[in-house]
Amino acid sequence: KQEVTQIPAALSVPEGENLVLNCSFTDSAIYNLQWFRQDPGKGLTSLLLIQSSQREQTSGRLNASLDKSSGRSTLYIAASQPGDSATYLCAVTRGSQGNLIFGKGTKLSVKP
Amino acid sequence: SQTIHQWPATLVQPVGSPLSLECTVEGTSNPNLYWYRQAAGRGLQLLFYSVGIGQISSEVPQNLSASRPQDRQFILSSKKLLLSDSGFYLCAWSGRIAKNIQYFGAGTRLSVL
């Protein structure tokens, strides 16, 4: 059974710092991996999707990497801003028809 | 463009009362529809998904049920709420081809007291 773990559970950093969020999964036979952002009391917004054949994806200040063989992904946020404060969720799927398996998320707080 | 609506945004219900949460999607046809729950200290858990009208798959045994009376309408229900039903409920939709590309509603915060 696939399990997704995110470390740390919470993170507080000063504005401008670069940071890394971690995601690990127990079954390396994934189809793709996604990083989502969730603002308090809101739904999820997809940030980056990495196919199993890819190593990384970039969008603006965000960079996500994937090491499928070791069951790990990282989300790198450069020059963090207070507006980045949110919970970041990692999710994997087994196939294009597979359901999303989520981690519990990392709650990020960027202090001005 | 496609949009997804959930209501109500917040709900406080006594134990033993019924529940009905509604989700509708606009701008797409024949979507896959999903209900998730996010409980305190736990990850996002898939409760139900539907690939068509009247077709419901349940992922976990529970006190809740789901129905899809129309193509773009998904309803989450309970006859008698339990304290453990408290949580944040999210509806999502996806296309038929790429189930893993899902779009989420704003969610409903349910507190059972």
Side-chain angles (χ1 to χ4, degrees):
Chain A
K1 179 184 175 184
Q2 178 73 274
E3 292 184 2
V4 179
T5 303
Q6 290 188 245
I7 295 173
L11 181 64
S12 181
V13 300
E15 182 177 5
E17 204 165 280
N18 302 325
L19 58 98
V20 174
L21 306 181
N22 297 291
C23 172
S24 62
F25 43 95
T26 54
D27 185 349
S28 63
I30 63 168
Y31 182 73
N32 61 32
L33 181 144
Q34 295 185 69
W35 282 95
F36 292 86
R37 169 184 173 137
Q38 184 178 26
D39 291 289
K42 302 294 184 182
L44 277 62
T45 300
S46 181
L47 297 173
L48 290 166
L49 182 151
I50 311 178
Q51 300 290 352
S52 62
S53 58
Q54 297 175 318
R55 299 285 285 184
E56 65 178 342
Q57 281 287 338
T58 297
S59 175
R61 295 182 292 108
L62 305 179
N63 176 278
S65 68
L66 174 64
D67 184 344
K68 200 174 78 163
S69 61
S70 67
R72 294 180 183 178
S73 175
T74 62
L75 179 65
Y76 175 83
I77 302 178
S80 59
Q81 302 170 359
D84 294 330
S85 298
T87 296
Y88 291 80
L89 296 163
C90 168
V92 300
T93 55
R94 188 171 179 83
S96 65
Q97 296 301 302
N99 292 321
L100 295 170
I101 309 296
F102 285 87
K104 294 182 181 180
T106 293
K107 185 175 182 179
L108 173 65
S109 177
V110 181
K111 305 295 185 184
Chain B
S1 64
Q2 301 90 358
T3 56
I4 179 168
H5 303 280
Q6 267 188 261
W7 66 93
T10 59
L11 190 60
V12 180
Q13 292 285 95
V15 170
S17 63
L19 172 74
S20 180
L21 302 181
E22 189 163 342
C23 171
T24 58
V25 180
E26 296 178 357
T28 187
S29 297
N30 303 314
N32 288 339
L33 297 172
Y34 309 85
W35 278 112
Y36 290 89
R37 176 170 60 203
Q38 192 172 34
R42 301 188 63 180
L44 205 59
Q45 183 182 38
L46 179 64
L47 301 177
F48 301 96
Y49 69 92
S50 172
V51 299
I53 295 174
Q55 300 181 60
I56 309 295
S57 296
S58 174
E59 288 294 294
V60 294
Q62 60 197 296
N63 182 45
L64 303 169
S65 61
S67 62
R68 185 171 177 173
Q70 301 180 40
D71 181 48
R72 289 171 287 180
Q73 183 185 30
F74 206 21
I75 297 172
L76 185 68
S77 304
S78 174
K79 293 182 179 178
K80 290 185 178 181
L81 283 169
L82 305 172
L83 287 174
S84 57
D85 292 324
S86 295
F88 190 58
Y89 289 83
L90 287 162
C91 179
W93 73 272
S94 74
R96 288 307 180 91
I97 303 299
K99 281 180 60 176
N100 54 83
I101 308 298
Q102 296 184 14
Y103 304 91
F104 287 80
T108 295
R109 172 71 61 190
L110 172 65
S111 298
V112 182
L113 305 177

